[in-house]
Amino acid sequence: MLARGHRKIGTVRETAERWGLAARLSRAAEFEPAFREMLDFVVVASRRARTLAGAAYANERRIVLNARLLEQGRESDRDSTFIHECAHVLADLAHNRPCRHGARWREIMRLLGEVPNVRHRIPYLSREANAKFIWRCIS
């Protein structure tokens, strides 16, 4: 059962094929059997996420993406976030422990053709863009 506000996109395999990222992901095939296991993880879109671009939950076999990344014209942000989260899953599974944004995760990011940035710079997901109130000092 999916969490409230989540919509299933498909498995990592299905999603990567649909978005034209299967060849890039296959660069990590050397991380068998972690690579094969990752392909069966579920990818979901969250309408509840505001500033979070994505998250990987290896124990739950799930990747969550912010639903706003799926809007037309945001494919570049969507793809880089998807690859970022797949790198987390691969690193965690291959090394049997959470690798966070450490050296093992950075190695996989480079292998997948991404710059290993830890923080996203997506304007429409910024805290400022999602603030209910903005306080400014007028002194």
Side-chain angles (χ1 to χ4, degrees), residues 2-11 15 18-19 42-50 52-55 57 62-71 78 81-82:
L2 293 176
R4 213 172 92 190
H6 287 190
R7 177 178 54 88
K8 183 177 177 182
I9 298 171
T11 64
T15 304
R18 188 177 321 115
W19 293 345
V42 174
V43 181
V44 299
S46 172
R47 291 187 315 271
R48 299 183 76 180
R50 295 289 175 244
L52 179 77
Y57 301 97
R62 175 173 63 103
I63 290 175
V64 177
L65 299 176
N66 189 311
R68 294 168 71 192
L69 294 171
L70 306 180
E71 295 173 9
R78 175 200 70 193
T81 302
F82 177 69

PDB file of all heavy atoms in Angstrom, residues 2-11 15 18-19 42-50 52-55 57 62-71 78 81-82:
ATOM      1  N   LEU A   2       0.526   2.217  -0.795  1.00  0.00           N
ATOM      2  CA  LEU A   2       1.296   3.455  -0.896  1.00  0.00           C
ATOM      3  C   LEU A   2       0.883   4.445   0.188  1.00  0.00           C
ATOM      4  O   LEU A   2      -0.273   4.476   0.599  1.00  0.00           O
ATOM      5  CB  LEU A   2       1.073   4.109  -2.259  1.00  0.00           C
ATOM      6  CG  LEU A   2       1.628   3.362  -3.469  1.00  0.00           C
ATOM      7  CD1 LEU A   2       1.241   4.081  -4.748  1.00  0.00           C
ATOM      8  CD2 LEU A   2       3.117   3.208  -3.384  1.00  0.00           C
ATOM      9  N   ALA A   3       1.848   5.245   0.601  1.00  0.00           N
ATOM     10  CA  ALA A   3       1.566   6.299   1.580  1.00  0.00           C
ATOM     11  C   ALA A   3       0.618   7.320   0.960  1.00  0.00           C
ATOM     12  O   ALA A   3       0.578   7.487  -0.269  1.00  0.00           O
ATOM     13  CB  ALA A   3       2.859   6.972   2.014  1.00  0.00           C
ATOM     14  N   ARG A   4      -0.106   8.006   1.818  1.00  0.00           N
ATOM     15  CA  ARG A   4      -1.031   9.035   1.344  1.00  0.00           C
ATOM     16  C   ARG A   4      -0.270  10.103   0.573  1.00  0.00           C
ATOM     17  O   ARG A   4       0.789  10.555   1.007  1.00  0.00           O
ATOM     18  CB  ARG A   4      -1.738   9.655   2.531  1.00  0.00           C
ATOM     19  CG  ARG A   4      -3.148  10.070   2.192  1.00  0.00           C
ATOM     20  CD  ARG A   4      -3.872  10.500   3.397  1.00  0.00           C
ATOM     21  NE  ARG A   4      -3.673  11.950   3.482  1.00  0.00           N
ATOM     22  CZ  ARG A   4      -4.004  12.670   4.512  1.00  0.00           C
ATOM     23  NH1 ARG A   4      -4.499  12.109   5.571  1.00  0.00           N
ATOM     24  NH2 ARG A   4      -3.820  13.961   4.506  1.00  0.00           N
ATOM     25  N   GLY A   5      -0.779  10.496  -0.570  1.00  0.00           N
ATOM     26  CA  GLY A   5      -0.135  11.523  -1.369  1.00  0.00           C
ATOM     27  C   GLY A   5       0.931  10.979  -2.307  1.00  0.00           C
ATOM     28  O   GLY A   5       1.581  11.746  -3.000  1.00  0.00           O
ATOM     29  N   HIS A   6       1.110   9.649  -2.345  1.00  0.00           N
ATOM     30  CA  HIS A   6       2.085   9.037  -3.231  1.00  0.00           C
ATOM     31  C   HIS A   6       1.373   8.342  -4.394  1.00  0.00           C
ATOM     32  O   HIS A   6       0.319   7.753  -4.225  1.00  0.00           O
ATOM     33  CB  HIS A   6       2.945   8.015  -2.493  1.00  0.00           C
ATOM     34  CG  HIS A   6       3.944   8.632  -1.577  1.00  0.00           C
ATOM     35  ND1 HIS A   6       4.939   7.911  -0.986  1.00  0.00           N
ATOM     36  CD2 HIS A   6       4.116   9.900  -1.149  1.00  0.00           C
ATOM     37  CE1 HIS A   6       5.688   8.695  -0.230  1.00  0.00           C
ATOM     38  NE2 HIS A   6       5.185   9.915  -0.305  1.00  0.00           N
ATOM     39  N   ARG A   7       2.009   8.413  -5.558  1.00  0.00           N
ATOM     40  CA  ARG A   7       1.485   7.757  -6.753  1.00  0.00           C
ATOM     41  C   ARG A   7       2.604   6.920  -7.360  1.00  0.00           C
ATOM     42  O   ARG A   7       3.719   7.407  -7.552  1.00  0.00           O
ATOM     43  CB  ARG A   7       1.016   8.806  -7.755  1.00  0.00           C
ATOM     44  CG  ARG A   7       0.514   8.237  -9.071  1.00  0.00           C
ATOM     45  CD  ARG A   7       0.006   9.329 -10.011  1.00  0.00           C
ATOM     46  NE  ARG A   7       0.957  10.383 -10.257  1.00  0.00           N
ATOM     47  CZ  ARG A   7       1.887  10.367 -11.226  1.00  0.00           C
ATOM     48  NH1 ARG A   7       2.001   9.329 -12.020  1.00  0.00           N
ATOM     49  NH2 ARG A   7       2.698  11.392 -11.402  1.00  0.00           N
ATOM     50  N   LYS A   8       2.318   5.668  -7.644  1.00  0.00           N
ATOM     51  CA  LYS A   8       3.331   4.776  -8.214  1.00  0.00           C
ATOM     52  C   LYS A   8       3.636   5.181  -9.656  1.00  0.00           C
ATOM     53  O   LYS A   8       2.725   5.399 -10.458  1.00  0.00           O
ATOM     54  CB  LYS A   8       2.868   3.324  -8.160  1.00  0.00           C
ATOM     55  CG  LYS A   8       3.903   2.354  -8.676  1.00  0.00           C
ATOM     56  CD  LYS A   8       3.444   0.927  -8.541  1.00  0.00           C
ATOM     57  CE  LYS A   8       4.491  -0.004  -9.139  1.00  0.00           C
ATOM     58  NZ  LYS A   8       4.059  -1.401  -9.082  1.00  0.00           N
ATOM     59  N   ILE A   9       4.924   5.303  -9.951  1.00  0.00           N
ATOM     60  CA  ILE A   9       5.378   5.595 -11.311  1.00  0.00           C
ATOM     61  C   ILE A   9       5.723   4.288 -12.026  1.00  0.00           C
ATOM     62  O   ILE A   9       5.434   4.107 -13.192  1.00  0.00           O
ATOM     63  CB  ILE A   9       6.603   6.535 -11.289  1.00  0.00           C
ATOM     64  CG1 ILE A   9       6.229   7.877 -10.660  1.00  0.00           C
ATOM     65  CG2 ILE A   9       7.166   6.733 -12.681  1.00  0.00           C
ATOM     66  CD1 ILE A   9       7.412   8.786 -10.402  1.00  0.00           C
ATOM     67  N   GLY A  10       6.332   3.372 -11.299  1.00  0.00           N
ATOM     68  CA  GLY A  10       6.744   2.078 -11.848  1.00  0.00           C
ATOM     69  C   GLY A  10       7.971   1.588 -11.113  1.00  0.00           C
ATOM     70  O   GLY A  10       8.373   2.156 -10.097  1.00  0.00           O
ATOM     71  N   THR A  11       8.595   0.549 -11.631  1.00  0.00           N
ATOM     72  CA  THR A  11       9.846   0.088 -11.051  1.00  0.00           C
ATOM     73  C   THR A  11      10.979   0.963 -11.581  1.00  0.00           C
ATOM     74  O   THR A  11      10.792   1.731 -12.539  1.00  0.00           O
ATOM     75  CB  THR A  11      10.137  -1.374 -11.427  1.00  0.00           C
ATOM     76  OG1 THR A  11      10.313  -1.444 -12.845  1.00  0.00           O
ATOM     77  CG2 THR A  11       9.021  -2.316 -10.965  1.00  0.00           C
ATOM     78  N   THR A  15      10.860   2.815 -15.179  1.00  0.00           N
ATOM     79  CA  THR A  15      11.016   4.266 -15.176  1.00  0.00           C
ATOM     80  C   THR A  15      12.226   4.685 -15.988  1.00  0.00           C
ATOM     81  O   THR A  15      12.152   5.614 -16.799  1.00  0.00           O
ATOM     82  CB  THR A  15      11.127   4.779 -13.728  1.00  0.00           C
ATOM     83  OG1 THR A  15       9.965   4.341 -13.003  1.00  0.00           O
ATOM     84  CG2 THR A  15      11.217   6.285 -13.665  1.00  0.00           C
ATOM     85  N   ARG A  18      11.417   4.282 -19.684  1.00  0.00           N
ATOM     86  CA  ARG A  18      10.462   5.297 -20.139  1.00  0.00           C
ATOM     87  C   ARG A  18      11.129   6.655 -20.300  1.00  0.00           C
ATOM     88  O   ARG A  18      10.815   7.410 -21.212  1.00  0.00           O
ATOM     89  CB  ARG A  18       9.293   5.390 -19.150  1.00  0.00           C
ATOM     90  CG  ARG A  18       8.147   6.268 -19.632  1.00  0.00           C
ATOM     91  CD  ARG A  18       6.950   6.292 -18.673  1.00  0.00           C
ATOM     92  NE  ARG A  18       6.645   5.022 -18.077  1.00  0.00           N
ATOM     93  CZ  ARG A  18       6.749   4.751 -16.761  1.00  0.00           C
ATOM     94  NH1 ARG A  18       7.129   5.685 -15.909  1.00  0.00           N
ATOM     95  NH2 ARG A  18       6.455   3.568 -16.290  1.00  0.00           N
ATOM     96  N   TRP A  19      12.052   6.988 -19.398  1.00  0.00           N
ATOM     97  CA  TRP A  19      12.702   8.299 -19.418  1.00  0.00           C
ATOM     98  C   TRP A  19      14.017   8.310 -20.196  1.00  0.00           C
ATOM     99  O   TRP A  19      14.719   9.314 -20.198  1.00  0.00           O
ATOM    100  CB  TRP A  19      12.939   8.782 -17.989  1.00  0.00           C
ATOM    101  CG  TRP A  19      11.683   9.078 -17.231  1.00  0.00           C
ATOM    102  CD1 TRP A  19      10.418   9.231 -17.736  1.00  0.00           C
ATOM    103  CD2 TRP A  19      11.562   9.272 -15.823  1.00  0.00           C
ATOM    104  NE1 TRP A  19       9.528   9.499 -16.733  1.00  0.00           N
ATOM    105  CE2 TRP A  19      10.201   9.539 -15.542  1.00  0.00           C
ATOM    106  CE3 TRP A  19      12.480   9.253 -14.775  1.00  0.00           C
ATOM    107  CZ2 TRP A  19       9.731   9.782 -14.259  1.00  0.00           C
ATOM    108  CZ3 TRP A  19      12.005   9.486 -13.491  1.00  0.00           C
ATOM    109  CH2 TRP A  19      10.643   9.749 -13.242  1.00  0.00           C
ATOM    110  N   VAL A  42      10.518   0.147  -6.336  1.00  0.00           N
ATOM    111  CA  VAL A  42       9.360   0.927  -6.780  1.00  0.00           C
ATOM    112  C   VAL A  42       9.725   2.408  -6.751  1.00  0.00           C
ATOM    113  O   VAL A  42      10.384   2.876  -5.827  1.00  0.00           O
ATOM    114  CB  VAL A  42       8.146   0.651  -5.868  1.00  0.00           C
ATOM    115  CG1 VAL A  42       6.978   1.561  -6.216  1.00  0.00           C
ATOM    116  CG2 VAL A  42       7.731  -0.798  -5.964  1.00  0.00           C
ATOM    117  N   VAL A  43       9.292   3.136  -7.773  1.00  0.00           N
ATOM    118  CA  VAL A  43       9.474   4.587  -7.841  1.00  0.00           C
ATOM    119  C   VAL A  43       8.093   5.217  -7.676  1.00  0.00           C
ATOM    120  O   VAL A  43       7.154   4.837  -8.374  1.00  0.00           O
ATOM    121  CB  VAL A  43      10.104   5.025  -9.182  1.00  0.00           C
ATOM    122  CG1 VAL A  43      10.306   6.527  -9.212  1.00  0.00           C
ATOM    123  CG2 VAL A  43      11.412   4.285  -9.424  1.00  0.00           C
ATOM    124  N   VAL A  44       7.994   6.151  -6.727  1.00  0.00           N
ATOM    125  CA  VAL A  44       6.722   6.831  -6.489  1.00  0.00           C
ATOM    126  C   VAL A  44       6.919   8.341  -6.549  1.00  0.00           C
ATOM    127  O   VAL A  44       8.016   8.850  -6.324  1.00  0.00           O
ATOM    128  CB  VAL A  44       6.085   6.440  -5.128  1.00  0.00           C
ATOM    129  CG1 VAL A  44       5.780   4.960  -5.067  1.00  0.00           C
ATOM    130  CG2 VAL A  44       6.954   6.862  -3.972  1.00  0.00           C
ATOM    131  N   ALA A  45       5.845   9.033  -6.866  1.00  0.00           N
ATOM    132  CA  ALA A  45       5.833  10.499  -6.858  1.00  0.00           C
ATOM    133  C   ALA A  45       5.068  10.949  -5.625  1.00  0.00           C
ATOM    134  O   ALA A  45       3.994  10.421  -5.331  1.00  0.00           O
ATOM    135  CB  ALA A  45       5.161  11.032  -8.121  1.00  0.00           C
ATOM    136  N   SER A  46       5.636  11.918  -4.919  1.00  0.00           N
ATOM    137  CA  SER A  46       4.996  12.442  -3.714  1.00  0.00           C
ATOM    138  C   SER A  46       4.451  13.839  -3.972  1.00  0.00           C
ATOM    139  O   SER A  46       5.205  14.750  -4.319  1.00  0.00           O
ATOM    140  CB  SER A  46       6.001  12.498  -2.556  1.00  0.00           C
ATOM    141  OG  SER A  46       5.429  13.170  -1.459  1.00  0.00           O
ATOM    142  N   ARG A  47       3.154  14.013  -3.756  1.00  0.00           N
ATOM    143  CA  ARG A  47       2.536  15.336  -3.842  1.00  0.00           C
ATOM    144  C   ARG A  47       2.716  16.106  -2.533  1.00  0.00           C
ATOM    145  O   ARG A  47       2.494  17.297  -2.481  1.00  0.00           O
ATOM    146  CB  ARG A  47       1.045  15.207  -4.164  1.00  0.00           C
ATOM    147  CG  ARG A  47       0.766  14.713  -5.567  1.00  0.00           C
ATOM    148  CD  ARG A  47      -0.718  14.767  -5.918  1.00  0.00           C
ATOM    149  NE  ARG A  47      -1.607  14.262  -4.883  1.00  0.00           N
ATOM    150  CZ  ARG A  47      -2.001  12.989  -4.761  1.00  0.00           C
ATOM    151  NH1 ARG A  47      -1.573  12.090  -5.605  1.00  0.00           N
ATOM    152  NH2 ARG A  47      -2.817  12.630  -3.801  1.00  0.00           N
ATOM    153  N   ARG A  48       3.113  15.395  -1.481  1.00  0.00           N
ATOM    154  CA  ARG A  48       3.271  16.038  -0.170  1.00  0.00           C
ATOM    155  C   ARG A  48       4.633  16.703  -0.015  1.00  0.00           C
ATOM    156  O   ARG A  48       4.786  17.613   0.797  1.00  0.00           O
ATOM    157  CB  ARG A  48       3.068  15.015   0.933  1.00  0.00           C
ATOM    158  CG  ARG A  48       1.655  14.419   0.875  1.00  0.00           C
ATOM    159  CD  ARG A  48       1.419  13.474   1.990  1.00  0.00           C
ATOM    160  NE  ARG A  48       1.195  14.268   3.189  1.00  0.00           N
ATOM    161  CZ  ARG A  48       0.961  13.765   4.370  1.00  0.00           C
ATOM    162  NH1 ARG A  48       0.933  12.465   4.540  1.00  0.00           N
ATOM    163  NH2 ARG A  48       0.765  14.549   5.413  1.00  0.00           N
ATOM    164  N   ALA A  49       5.630  16.242  -0.753  1.00  0.00           N
ATOM    165  CA  ALA A  49       6.976  16.814  -0.648  1.00  0.00           C
ATOM    166  C   ALA A  49       6.948  18.262  -1.135  1.00  0.00           C
ATOM    167  O   ALA A  49       6.304  18.576  -2.133  1.00  0.00           O
ATOM    168  CB  ALA A  49       7.959  16.002  -1.479  1.00  0.00           C
ATOM    169  N   ARG A  50       7.624  19.120  -0.427  1.00  0.00           N
ATOM    170  CA  ARG A  50       7.683  20.531  -0.809  1.00  0.00           C
ATOM    171  C   ARG A  50       9.087  20.895  -1.285  1.00  0.00           C
ATOM    172  O   ARG A  50       9.278  21.281  -2.412  1.00  0.00           O
ATOM    173  CB  ARG A  50       7.281  21.426   0.373  1.00  0.00           C
ATOM    174  CG  ARG A  50       5.850  21.246   0.800  1.00  0.00           C
ATOM    175  CD  ARG A  50       4.897  21.819  -0.248  1.00  0.00           C
ATOM    176  NE  ARG A  50       3.520  21.531   0.108  1.00  0.00           N
ATOM    177  CZ  ARG A  50       2.719  20.759  -0.609  1.00  0.00           C
ATOM    178  NH1 ARG A  50       3.135  20.207  -1.706  1.00  0.00           N
ATOM    179  NH2 ARG A  50       1.483  20.545  -0.228  1.00  0.00           N
ATOM    180  N   LEU A  52      11.865  18.758  -0.680  1.00  0.00           N
ATOM    181  CA  LEU A  52      12.601  17.527  -0.925  1.00  0.00           C
ATOM    182  C   LEU A  52      12.457  17.136  -2.386  1.00  0.00           C
ATOM    183  O   LEU A  52      11.342  16.970  -2.881  1.00  0.00           O
ATOM    184  CB  LEU A  52      12.039  16.408  -0.034  1.00  0.00           C
ATOM    185  CG  LEU A  52      12.688  15.045  -0.178  1.00  0.00           C
ATOM    186  CD1 LEU A  52      14.027  15.036   0.547  1.00  0.00           C
ATOM    187  CD2 LEU A  52      11.764  13.974   0.382  1.00  0.00           C
ATOM    188  N   ALA A  53      13.591  16.989  -3.078  1.00  0.00           N
ATOM    189  CA  ALA A  53      13.544  16.580  -4.486  1.00  0.00           C
ATOM    190  C   ALA A  53      13.314  15.078  -4.595  1.00  0.00           C
ATOM    191  O   ALA A  53      12.546  14.622  -5.437  1.00  0.00           O
ATOM    192  CB  ALA A  53      14.828  16.983  -5.203  1.00  0.00           C
ATOM    193  N   GLY A  54      13.996  14.323  -3.759  1.00  0.00           N
ATOM    194  CA  GLY A  54      13.854  12.877  -3.803  1.00  0.00           C
ATOM    195  C   GLY A  54      14.433  12.233  -2.565  1.00  0.00           C
ATOM    196  O   GLY A  54      15.129  12.876  -1.782  1.00  0.00           O
ATOM    197  N   ALA A  55      14.140  10.939  -2.416  1.00  0.00           N
ATOM    198  CA  ALA A  55      14.664  10.168  -1.289  1.00  0.00           C
ATOM    199  C   ALA A  55      14.719   8.707  -1.699  1.00  0.00           C
ATOM    200  O   ALA A  55      13.901   8.241  -2.501  1.00  0.00           O
ATOM    201  CB  ALA A  55      13.778  10.337  -0.061  1.00  0.00           C
ATOM    202  N   TYR A  57      14.932   4.766  -0.113  1.00  0.00           N
ATOM    203  CA  TYR A  57      14.703   3.942   1.069  1.00  0.00           C
ATOM    204  C   TYR A  57      15.033   2.495   0.703  1.00  0.00           C
ATOM    205  O   TYR A  57      14.157   1.732   0.279  1.00  0.00           O
ATOM    206  CB  TYR A  57      13.260   4.066   1.548  1.00  0.00           C
ATOM    207  CG  TYR A  57      12.874   5.485   1.886  1.00  0.00           C
ATOM    208  CD1 TYR A  57      12.192   6.287   0.976  1.00  0.00           C
ATOM    209  CD2 TYR A  57      13.228   6.040   3.121  1.00  0.00           C
ATOM    210  CE1 TYR A  57      11.854   7.589   1.286  1.00  0.00           C
ATOM    211  CE2 TYR A  57      12.882   7.347   3.438  1.00  0.00           C
ATOM    212  CZ  TYR A  57      12.200   8.112   2.512  1.00  0.00           C
ATOM    213  OH  TYR A  57      11.872   9.411   2.820  1.00  0.00           O
ATOM    214  N   ARG A  62      12.270   1.323  -2.202  1.00  0.00           N
ATOM    215  CA  ARG A  62      11.452   2.399  -2.762  1.00  0.00           C
ATOM    216  C   ARG A  62      12.283   3.664  -2.977  1.00  0.00           C
ATOM    217  O   ARG A  62      13.144   4.005  -2.176  1.00  0.00           O
ATOM    218  CB  ARG A  62      10.321   2.654  -1.773  1.00  0.00           C
ATOM    219  CG  ARG A  62       9.415   3.786  -2.048  1.00  0.00           C
ATOM    220  CD  ARG A  62       8.250   3.769  -1.054  1.00  0.00           C
ATOM    221  NE  ARG A  62       8.668   3.938   0.325  1.00  0.00           N
ATOM    222  CZ  ARG A  62       8.534   5.081   1.007  1.00  0.00           C
ATOM    223  NH1 ARG A  62       7.978   6.124   0.458  1.00  0.00           N
ATOM    224  NH2 ARG A  62       8.938   5.162   2.255  1.00  0.00           N
ATOM    225  N   ILE A  63      11.975   4.366  -4.068  1.00  0.00           N
ATOM    226  CA  ILE A  63      12.534   5.686  -4.362  1.00  0.00           C
ATOM    227  C   ILE A  63      11.354   6.641  -4.479  1.00  0.00           C
ATOM    228  O   ILE A  63      10.365   6.341  -5.152  1.00  0.00           O
ATOM    229  CB  ILE A  63      13.356   5.689  -5.664  1.00  0.00           C
ATOM    230  CG1 ILE A  63      14.643   4.887  -5.468  1.00  0.00           C
ATOM    231  CG2 ILE A  63      13.663   7.113  -6.133  1.00  0.00           C
ATOM    232  CD1 ILE A  63      15.474   4.715  -6.721  1.00  0.00           C
ATOM    233  N   VAL A  64      11.463   7.785  -3.796  1.00  0.00           N
ATOM    234  CA  VAL A  64      10.406   8.796  -3.829  1.00  0.00           C
ATOM    235  C   VAL A  64      10.938  10.021  -4.560  1.00  0.00           C
ATOM    236  O   VAL A  64      12.038  10.493  -4.285  1.00  0.00           O
ATOM    237  CB  VAL A  64       9.985   9.199  -2.391  1.00  0.00           C
ATOM    238  CG1 VAL A  64       8.937  10.299  -2.430  1.00  0.00           C
ATOM    239  CG2 VAL A  64       9.481   7.994  -1.622  1.00  0.00           C
ATOM    240  N   LEU A  65      10.148  10.527  -5.499  1.00  0.00           N
ATOM    241  CA  LEU A  65      10.477  11.761  -6.223  1.00  0.00           C
ATOM    242  C   LEU A  65       9.378  12.784  -5.968  1.00  0.00           C
ATOM    243  O   LEU A  65       8.196  12.429  -5.865  1.00  0.00           O
ATOM    244  CB  LEU A  65      10.577  11.500  -7.725  1.00  0.00           C
ATOM    245  CG  LEU A  65      11.643  10.511  -8.184  1.00  0.00           C
ATOM    246  CD1 LEU A  65      11.542  10.291  -9.688  1.00  0.00           C
ATOM    247  CD2 LEU A  65      13.022  10.990  -7.807  1.00  0.00           C
ATOM    248  N   ASN A  66       9.766  14.042  -5.882  1.00  0.00           N
ATOM    249  CA  ASN A  66       8.803  15.120  -5.747  1.00  0.00           C
ATOM    250  C   ASN A  66       7.949  15.154  -7.015  1.00  0.00           C
ATOM    251  O   ASN A  66       8.486  15.169  -8.135  1.00  0.00           O
ATOM    252  CB  ASN A  66       9.546  16.447  -5.559  1.00  0.00           C
ATOM    253  CG  ASN A  66       8.641  17.584  -5.190  1.00  0.00           C
ATOM    254  OD1 ASN A  66       7.620  17.806  -5.828  1.00  0.00           O
ATOM    255  ND2 ASN A  66       9.027  18.326  -4.173  1.00  0.00           N
ATOM    256  N   ALA A  67       6.639  15.161  -6.864  1.00  0.00           N
ATOM    257  CA  ALA A  67       5.730  15.138  -8.012  1.00  0.00           C
ATOM    258  C   ALA A  67       5.946  16.334  -8.943  1.00  0.00           C
ATOM    259  O   ALA A  67       5.697  16.238 -10.150  1.00  0.00           O
ATOM    260  CB  ALA A  67       4.282  15.090  -7.542  1.00  0.00           C
ATOM    261  N   ARG A  68       6.445  17.439  -8.403  1.00  0.00           N
ATOM    262  CA  ARG A  68       6.656  18.626  -9.243  1.00  0.00           C
ATOM    263  C   ARG A  68       7.768  18.407 -10.263  1.00  0.00           C
ATOM    264  O   ARG A  68       7.824  19.091 -11.282  1.00  0.00           O
ATOM    265  CB  ARG A  68       6.932  19.830  -8.357  1.00  0.00           C
ATOM    266  CG  ARG A  68       5.674  20.165  -7.528  1.00  0.00           C
ATOM    267  CD  ARG A  68       5.922  21.128  -6.439  1.00  0.00           C
ATOM    268  NE  ARG A  68       6.165  22.453  -6.969  1.00  0.00           N
ATOM    269  CZ  ARG A  68       6.630  23.461  -6.247  1.00  0.00           C
ATOM    270  NH1 ARG A  68       6.910  23.290  -4.971  1.00  0.00           N
ATOM    271  NH2 ARG A  68       6.813  24.642  -6.783  1.00  0.00           N
ATOM    272  N   LEU A  69       8.642  17.434 -10.013  1.00  0.00           N
ATOM    273  CA  LEU A  69       9.691  17.107 -10.982  1.00  0.00           C
ATOM    274  C   LEU A  69       9.119  16.465 -12.247  1.00  0.00           C
ATOM    275  O   LEU A  69       9.774  16.437 -13.278  1.00  0.00           O
ATOM    276  CB  LEU A  69      10.718  16.143 -10.364  1.00  0.00           C
ATOM    277  CG  LEU A  69      11.566  16.668  -9.221  1.00  0.00           C
ATOM    278  CD1 LEU A  69      12.366  15.538  -8.597  1.00  0.00           C
ATOM    279  CD2 LEU A  69      12.480  17.782  -9.689  1.00  0.00           C
ATOM    280  N   LEU A  70       7.913  15.967 -12.162  1.00  0.00           N
ATOM    281  CA  LEU A  70       7.305  15.258 -13.288  1.00  0.00           C
ATOM    282  C   LEU A  70       6.547  16.180 -14.235  1.00  0.00           C
ATOM    283  O   LEU A  70       6.016  15.733 -15.249  1.00  0.00           O
ATOM    284  CB  LEU A  70       6.375  14.159 -12.768  1.00  0.00           C
ATOM    285  CG  LEU A  70       7.022  13.169 -11.791  1.00  0.00           C
ATOM    286  CD1 LEU A  70       6.011  12.135 -11.340  1.00  0.00           C
ATOM    287  CD2 LEU A  70       8.242  12.514 -12.391  1.00  0.00           C
ATOM    288  N   GLU A  71       6.505  17.462 -13.907  1.00  0.00           N
ATOM    289  CA  GLU A  71       5.812  18.414 -14.767  1.00  0.00           C
ATOM    290  C   GLU A  71       6.630  18.660 -16.038  1.00  0.00           C
ATOM    291  O   GLU A  71       7.857  18.584 -16.023  1.00  0.00           O
ATOM    292  CB  GLU A  71       5.578  19.720 -14.011  1.00  0.00           C
ATOM    293  CG  GLU A  71       4.635  19.557 -12.837  1.00  0.00           C
ATOM    294  CD  GLU A  71       4.519  20.798 -11.962  1.00  0.00           C
ATOM    295  OE1 GLU A  71       5.043  21.869 -12.358  1.00  0.00           O
ATOM    296  OE2 GLU A  71       3.919  20.693 -10.879  1.00  0.00           O
ATOM    297  N   ARG A  78      14.288  16.184 -13.057  1.00  0.00           N
ATOM    298  CA  ARG A  78      13.730  14.861 -12.774  1.00  0.00           C
ATOM    299  C   ARG A  78      14.789  13.777 -12.958  1.00  0.00           C
ATOM    300  O   ARG A  78      15.013  12.948 -12.083  1.00  0.00           O
ATOM    301  CB  ARG A  78      12.546  14.600 -13.708  1.00  0.00           C
ATOM    302  CG  ARG A  78      11.942  13.216 -13.593  1.00  0.00           C
ATOM    303  CD  ARG A  78      11.148  12.852 -14.821  1.00  0.00           C
ATOM    304  NE  ARG A  78      12.037  12.645 -15.967  1.00  0.00           N
ATOM    305  CZ  ARG A  78      11.613  12.558 -17.222  1.00  0.00           C
ATOM    306  NH1 ARG A  78      10.337  12.697 -17.506  1.00  0.00           N
ATOM    307  NH2 ARG A  78      12.475  12.345 -18.202  1.00  0.00           N
ATOM    308  N   THR A  81      17.699  13.921 -10.407  1.00  0.00           N
ATOM    309  CA  THR A  81      17.242  13.480  -9.088  1.00  0.00           C
ATOM    310  C   THR A  81      17.053  11.965  -9.069  1.00  0.00           C
ATOM    311  O   THR A  81      17.451  11.291  -8.113  1.00  0.00           O
ATOM    312  CB  THR A  81      15.933  14.190  -8.698  1.00  0.00           C
ATOM    313  OG1 THR A  81      16.156  15.605  -8.715  1.00  0.00           O
ATOM    314  CG2 THR A  81      15.459  13.771  -7.324  1.00  0.00           C
ATOM    315  N   PHE A  82      16.484  11.426 -10.114  1.00  0.00           N
ATOM    316  CA  PHE A  82      16.293   9.972 -10.216  1.00  0.00           C
ATOM    317  C   PHE A  82      17.641   9.249 -10.169  1.00  0.00           C
ATOM    318  O   PHE A  82      17.810   8.282  -9.409  1.00  0.00           O
ATOM    319  CB  PHE A  82      15.546   9.657 -11.517  1.00  0.00           C
ATOM    320  CG  PHE A  82      15.344   8.192 -11.784  1.00  0.00           C
ATOM    321  CD1 PHE A  82      14.480   7.442 -11.005  1.00  0.00           C
ATOM    322  CD2 PHE A  82      16.007   7.566 -12.830  1.00  0.00           C
ATOM    323  CE1 PHE A  82      14.287   6.096 -11.258  1.00  0.00           C
ATOM    324  CE2 PHE A  82      15.817   6.226 -13.092  1.00  0.00           C
ATOM    325  CZ  PHE A  82      14.957   5.480 -12.307  1.00  0.00           C
TER     326      PHE A  82
END
